[in-house]
Amino acid sequence: MNEIPIQQVARLTGTTSRTLRHYDSIGLLRPARAGSNGYRLYGSVELVRLQRILLLRQLGLGLPQIADALDASGDEAAALGTHLEWLQTEKDRIERQMAAVMHTVDALGRGERPMDENMFDGFDHTQHKEEVTRRWGADAYARSDRWWRGLSDTNRTAFQQETAQLSAQWQEAASRGIDPASDEAQALAERHVAWLRGVPGTPAEDPAQVAGYVRGLGDMYVADPRFGANYGGSEGAEFVREALHEWADRA
């Protein structure tokens, strides 16, 4: 049988044997079996599950939430494919940032003082300025822009992590084909609206406008591939739209 011991798994994944034993103790990742020497042994099935655990951990999910996501998803290939799409989006963004920083380093090495738009490729949080302004007004954009620029690096990173985590959970739910009107999907919709309310200047702050705002956002996620990519593409975006429309109907 093609199985590897716990120590080797720890080395391959950059984790520790203690962590793997903890995953075993809470039922998150059981080894395939124990060898004659008592060491835990892991096969292909266990390694695939561990890969998914580590991917979800990077998005900031807690172990109970990871367990729920793994146990609820029957098609591992589909779930990993959804996660791969999100990773590709992040890879593209990071590669653009790397190229921008290399551009700056090269310019500084030549004794230049760079002052051009290439310096901030991949960093731009204003890429949807025109869309936001057209739909909700210049004041809404200006207030949210001031809020973003005023955040500390720590708070900005925390917000980005929360955004990535919410996106991953939407994708995971969509990959399982759950009903957008289900309690689980509506709990995600509620979290999504709370996330929107965390950004000053959006109509989500106004009880009289929030339902229409949420409904419009759901439509935009489907209509604009730039937004839909955050939810795994068109099918994921359609699931999010249906869940948000349901939330708006109940609001």
Side-chain angles (χ1 to χ4, degrees), residues 53-238:
I53 291 170
L54 296 178
L55 287 169
L56 293 170
R57 284 292 279 169
Q58 287 181 349
L59 294 177
L61 271 68
L63 296 182
Q65 289 75 31
I66 290 174
D68 290 343
L70 293 178
D71 293 340
S73 176
D75 190 338
E76 290 182 327
L80 283 169
T82 297
H83 202 113
L84 182 61
E85 291 178 0
W86 182 85
L87 288 172
Q88 184 62 55
T89 299
E90 283 297 286
K91 174 178 176 288
D92 293 343
R93 182 182 63 82
I94 291 171
E95 285 182 344
R96 288 167 56 206
Q97 288 186 352
M98 290 174 62
V101 173
M102 289 175 63
H103 169 79
T104 301
V105 170
D106 289 344
L108 292 173
R110 294 191 300 268
E112 300 174 0
R113 289 286 178 251
M115 290 287 291
D116 61 75
E117 62 182 19
N118 292 329
M119 294 173 64
F120 300 104
D121 189 26
F123 292 84
D124 184 17
H125 71 284
T126 66
Q127 58 182 310
H128 302 303
K129 176 179 180 179
E130 181 178 346
E131 181 75 18
V132 172
T133 301
R134 181 174 63 82
R135 286 177 175 265
W136 297 292
D139 182 62
Y141 175 81
R143 290 181 61 191
S144 60
D145 182 61
R146 285 195 302 271
W147 165 80
W148 178 257
R149 294 181 187 277
L151 289 178
S152 67
D153 289 342
T154 299
N155 289 338
R156 194 172 293 164
T157 298
F159 182 82
Q160 290 171 329
Q161 289 175 341
E162 180 184 3
T163 302
Q165 179 179 341
L166 185 59
S167 173
Q169 290 178 329
W170 274 122
Q171 291 185 45
E172 179 68 25
S175 73
R176 290 187 274 114
I178 67 172
D179 185 349
S182 67
D183 289 345
E184 180 182 357
Q186 287 307 297
L188 270 176
E190 187 66 40
R191 280 192 55 208
H192 197 93
V193 175
W195 170 72
L196 293 170
R197 286 177 172 140
V199 181
T202 71
E205 294 180 311
D206 184 352
Q209 298 186 65
V210 62
Y213 174 59
V214 169
R215 192 184 303 277
L217 277 179
D219 292 338
M220 189 167 66
Y221 294 160
V222 173
D224 191 332
R226 296 173 301 171
F227 292 98
N230 295 324
Y231 306 106
S234 59
E235 290 186 5
E238 288 171 4

